[in-house]
Every structure is written in C-alpha cells, then in structure tokens.
C-alpha cells in the first residue's frame, strides 16, 4: 500500500499493511526473504536497481521492515540494525571526541554499559541524571552537549520523562533528543510526534513480540540525519539478516492485537499486586498511585505489560520468581509469554551497586513482563505463590 493510500488509516491497519506490497514477479502477498549477500550487475559499476549492489548496503526484506516502522512511529524513514544496542550505538557514533551526552540514569543496563565502558573511553562525555526533572537536565547542558538520550518509561522503575519539554530544551541548546521507545512500543507512544528527533527500539521486545529475534530499529523524520545513520550502518556493518527482518515484520502485523492484551493484562495485574499485602510497592504508570500518572496519560495511549514490584527482600523476590509455573524466570520482555526477573541480579547487575540502590533497584525488586495469556490464569499463578 502506498504512503498516500495509508494516510488516515488506524494504527492496526497500518501495522498489517505498512511497508508491504505484492512482490512484483509473483504477487506474493508477504515480502519474500531475500537471502542473498550480493546482486548481479548489468555492467561494471551498474547495479540493476538503485543501491542493490551488496547486502550490507541494501536488502528488500530489510527495506520493508524499515518502511513499516517509519509509518508506525509517524516518521519519514526507518533504519534496521542487528540489535537494539547497535541502533543506540549508531546514534551516539554521530558524535565526535569532546561532545557531551546527557542520559537518563535508569536506562537499560546495556545502554549504560555501552556509554560508560566503550563510548567514554573513545572521548565522549556523559552525564547521567534523573530526567524526570527537566530543570536537572537544563542545569547539565553545556556548550558541548549534542544529545539527550531518554528512555520512557524506564527499565525497571517505570520513570517517565516529559518528551515535549525535553525536546524543546535539547533544541534550544542545539542538541538532539533520542528516545528509547522499547518499553512503550509505537502502539502506546510515538516520540517523534512529541518532538523527539530519533525514536529507537530494541525490536527484540514488543515489536517482534515472540522472543525469537534480536534486532534494533530507529525511526526519524530528518533526511540528513537519515543519510548520516545509513552511512554509519553501512560503514560499521551492524545490519540484521533478511530472515530476522522478515520475522520482525511478521511480528509487527499483530502488534496492535498483542499490545491491547498486554495493556489490559498489565493493568489487571498491577491492580491485583497493589492490593496484595505482601507487595510493598508497585511501579506501573497506569495506576493513579504512580507519581507521574498524569504525564503518562498525556503522552501515552496505554501502559504496557511491564510491571515492577518491591517485595522488600531478596529472599522474597527469589521465592516468587522461582516458584511460578506460567511466568518464566528469564531476562528480556515484550514477548507473548509472561516473564519475571530480579533486575539487581540479572539485567542490571552491570550497574554499580550504589547507583542501583540510590535509584531504588533493590534486591527485593521484581520485574514482570506480562504476556498475552489469560488474565485469570496469570493472577492465579501469582496468587499461588504470594498466598
Ligand atoms: C533490550 C533493550 C535494549 C537492548 O536491545 P538488544 O536488542 O538486546 O540489543 C535497549 N533498550 C531497552 C529499553 C531494552 O529493553
């Protein structure tokens, strides 16, 4: 379906159709997996079509996935990477020695590790802070600040940052704003509409949705930035394989159906946990008790299946996570099946302990990725262990 024909259509219709058109030779309704490394040229230096000269530069299956994320995020272009971290890395690789980045302190653990262990060594400067408070961000801006990197909601504390406010702060300072939208998915939040320059995903999570592919995606609007990122990807090489692109494209076709169920299961479980005496604290932006519930309702259309709870001690966190039968004890999130984890010992083990504790990532903190199973079965599973 052409871009013009799609305008005015609802999210679910776009999730099914965006980026995909019948294959010209056979009319195949699904974009084929173009499993090829190179393309035969008609004459020296003359590819048959556009940039189809080598698989790192261009691949039709990958392009279909890229066109799809561009539409769903309401951007102009999409760029696919071999992982979410490769996508974040590409955004940071636009910068040069001495440039300064302000990053939300409670990002995905791997993002912090990329910034502190590799990018700092190469001469970029980072300030990590609580981006919930725009005045803290404003105070940290320097002449060299080129990028503000947010994650909202954050992992695993479900902190929110005000995307429109931080976008204008960034732009007034001559910097760009990137938002890791992995937790929300474009079904629930579209940062480009709120002023961000880049929206970035670990498509490993909700977008693919079936826990069987590692991938990353960026959507953006600016043609020059698109060219820069395509150049970085071609030159650095972090491209996804055609089969992974095809699987992710297939996953995206049911994104809206899955997200509706994730959102409603997530809310039901957050409410159940909030009323349970064994649970000290529930972190879920969809609950009125969340300190940023108003902002959540303003910039999000739904609140996902991600719920974190504090059980007070590691002992209790282990008892819960190790004795459930439907929730599987595993890292990752956003798949159809429910997962549960202890961030301090698993996903966030690489964050220094004093920073973890200062933020509230206590040993008793448990993160649930609520899947799309039946709500009653999930609650019964939790209730069987929590008592
Ligand atoms: C998983 C994740 C990443 C990293 O993505 P990979 O696909 O594992 O490289 C980045 N940000 C968030 C919020 C994530 O959950």
């Amino acid at each position: 379906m052409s871009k013009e024909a799609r305008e005015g259509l609802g999210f679910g219709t776009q999730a099914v159709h965006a980026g995909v058109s019948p294959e010209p030779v056979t009319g195949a309704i699904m974009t084929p997996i173009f499993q090829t490394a190179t393309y035969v040229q008609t004459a020296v230096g003359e590819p048959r079509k556009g940039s189809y000269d080598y698989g790192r530069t261009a691949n039709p299956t990958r392009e279909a996935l890229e066109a799809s994320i561009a539409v769903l995020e309401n951007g102009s272009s999409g760029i696919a990477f071999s992982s979410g971290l490769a996508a974040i890395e590409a955004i940071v690789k636009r910068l040069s020695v001495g440039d300064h980045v302000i990053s939300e302190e409670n990002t995905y653990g791997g993002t912090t590790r990329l910034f502190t262990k590799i990018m700092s060594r190469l001469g970029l400067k980072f300030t990590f802070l609580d981006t919930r408070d725009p005045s803290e961000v404003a105070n940290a801006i320097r002449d060299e600040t080129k990028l503000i990197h947010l994650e909202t909601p954050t992992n695993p504390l479900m902190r929110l940052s005000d995307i429109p406010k931080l976008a204008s702060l960034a732009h007034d300072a001559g910097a760009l704003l990137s938002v890791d939208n992995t937790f929300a998915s474009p079904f629930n939040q579209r940062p480009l509409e709120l002023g961000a320059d880049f929206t970035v995903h670990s498509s490993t999570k909700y977008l693919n949705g079936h826990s069987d592919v590692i991938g990353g995606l960026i959507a953006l609007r600016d043609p020059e930035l698109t060219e820069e990122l395509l150049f970085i990807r071609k030159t650095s090489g972090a491209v996804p394989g055609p089969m992974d692109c095809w699987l992710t494209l297939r996953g995206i076709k049911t994104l809206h159906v899955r997200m509706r169920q994730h959102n409603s299961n997530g809310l039901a479980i957050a409410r159940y946990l909030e009323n349970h005496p064994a649970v000290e604290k529930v972190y879920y932006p969809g609950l009125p008790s969340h300190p940023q519930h108003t902002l959540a309702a303003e910039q999000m259309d739904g609140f996902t299946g991600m719920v974190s709870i504090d059980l007070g001690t590691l002992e209790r966190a282990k008892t819960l996570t190790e004795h459930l039968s439907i929730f599987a004890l595993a890292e990752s999130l956003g798949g159809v099946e429910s997962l549960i984890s202890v961030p301090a010992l698993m996903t966030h083990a690489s964050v220094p302990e004093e920073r973890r504790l200062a933020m509230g990532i206590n040993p008793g903190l448990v993160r649930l990725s609520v899947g799309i199973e039946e709500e009653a079965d999930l609650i019964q599973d939790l209730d069987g262990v929590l008592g």
Side-chain angles (χ1 to χ4, degrees):
M1 203 182 288
S2 73
K3 194 165 181 354
E4 297 72 50
R6 279 193 314 268
E7 285 190 1
L9 295 177
F11 188 94
T13 310
Q14 293 184 327
V16 173
H17 292 285
V20 181
S21 44
E23 192 274 325
V25 176
T26 62
I29 194 161
M30 249 326 265
T31 307
I33 304 165
F34 283 88
Q35 193 74 44
T36 188
T38 192
Y39 307 87
V40 178
Q41 307 195 6
T42 48
V44 175
E46 279 180 30
R48 271 160 223 251
K49 246 183 137 190
S51 49
Y52 296 124
D53 54 5
Y54 186 59
R56 176 156 33 73
T57 315
N59 177 284
T61 316
R62 198 169 82 200
E63 286 168 353
L65 171 63
E66 294 174 333
S68 165
I69 192 64
V71 170
L72 297 186
E73 284 285 4
N74 205 352
S76 309
S77 50
I79 308 180
F81 291 84
S82 53
S83 73
L85 278 173
I88 295 168
E89 187 197 46
I91 292 173
V92 176
K93 271 191 188 158
R94 291 184 53 256
L95 307 179
S96 306
V97 175
D99 286 349
H100 176 238
V101 179
I102 296 173
S103 171
E104 159 60 37
E105 63 182 359
N106 179 221
T107 59
Y108 176 70
T111 304
T112 307
R113 188 171 56 199
L114 170 68
F115 291 171
T116 56
K117 304 279 185 202
I118 296 183
M119 292 300 167
S120 302
R121 201 160 41 69
L122 299 180
L124 298 181
K125 308 274 181 245
F126 291 88
T127 301
F128 296 92
L129 48 80
D130 183 348
T131 58
R132 280 177 299 186
D133 183 355
S135 66
E136 278 217 29
V137 177
N139 290 337
I141 290 176
R142 316 176 193 159
D143 289 347
E144 306 76 35
T145 306
K146 295 284 164 58
L147 181 72
I148 298 178
H149 179 76
L150 306 180
E151 205 174 294
T152 178
T154 66
N155 175 7
L157 294 170
M158 312 299 158
R159 291 176 173 183
L160 267 62
S161 294
D162 188 323
I163 300 174
K165 262 200 194 127
L166 293 169
S168 41
L169 270 180
H171 296 154
D172 288 350
L176 299 178
L177 180 72
S178 66
V179 177
D180 186 331
N181 200 30
T182 300
F183 261 43
S185 90
F187 182 76
N188 287 323
Q189 175 172 275
R190 287 163 304 284
L192 300 180
E193 292 175 355
L194 301 169
D197 300 284
F198 310 100
T199 171
V200 55
H201 283 277
S202 168
S203 50
T204 313
K205 317 293 168 53
Y206 282 120
L207 287 171
N208 177 61
H210 294 74
S211 310
D212 50 13
V213 175
I214 300 286
L217 289 168
I218 297 175
L220 67 168
R221 289 182 170 173
D222 186 280
E224 269 176 45
L225 290 177
T226 302
E227 284 310 312
E228 278 184 46
L229 290 180
L230 286 172
F231 177 80
I232 287 172
R233 185 184 62 179
K234 178 173 82 172
T235 307
S236 296
V239 291
M243 176 82 186
D244 285 356
C245 292
W246 184 86
L247 282 166
T248 307
L249 191 59
R250 179 163 85 161
I252 285 177
K253 286 172 182 286
T254 56
L255 181 66
H256 55 300
V257 183
R258 288 183 285 111
M259 288 317 297
R260 282 188 194 116
Q261 191 70 27
H262 283 296
N263 286 350
S264 85
N265 281 356
L267 184 59
I269 283 181
R271 284 188 180 136
Y272 158 78
L273 291 166
E274 190 171 44
N275 290 319
H276 198 289
V279 179
E280 294 189 358
K281 197 162 178 184
V282 179
Y283 299 87
Y284 188 73
L287 291 177
S289 59
H290 188 285
Q292 296 173 289
H293 180 63
T294 311
L295 176 62
E298 271 167 28
Q299 70 183 21
M300 300 178 76
D301 299 330
F303 309 106
T304 88
M306 298 306 298
V307 184
S308 293
I309 54 174
D310 201 326
L311 292 174
T313 66
L314 177 59
E315 196 73 39
R316 288 186 211 137
K318 287 186 82 166
T319 304
L320 175 65
T321 54
E322 291 172 358
H323 292 87
L324 292 164
S325 50
I326 299 176
F327 282 85
L329 175 58
E331 295 193 2
S332 199
L333 61 108
V336 289
E337 58 287 284
S338 292
L339 304 179
I340 194 159
S341 65
V342 181
L345 273 68
M346 298 169 69
T347 48
H348 290 65
S350 66
V351 179
E353 191 182 8
E354 69 277 8
R355 241 180 84 193
R356 271 201 318 257
L357 294 176
M359 287 188 284
I361 306 179
N362 302 320
L365 190 78
V366 170
R367 189 188 80 181
L368 295 85
S369 172
V370 179
I372 63 168
E373 301 96 333
E374 298 294 345
E375 172 192 316
D377 293 336
L378 295 176
I379 291 181
Q380 195 177 31
D381 196 25
L382 293 167
D383 213 45
V385 183
L386 287 173

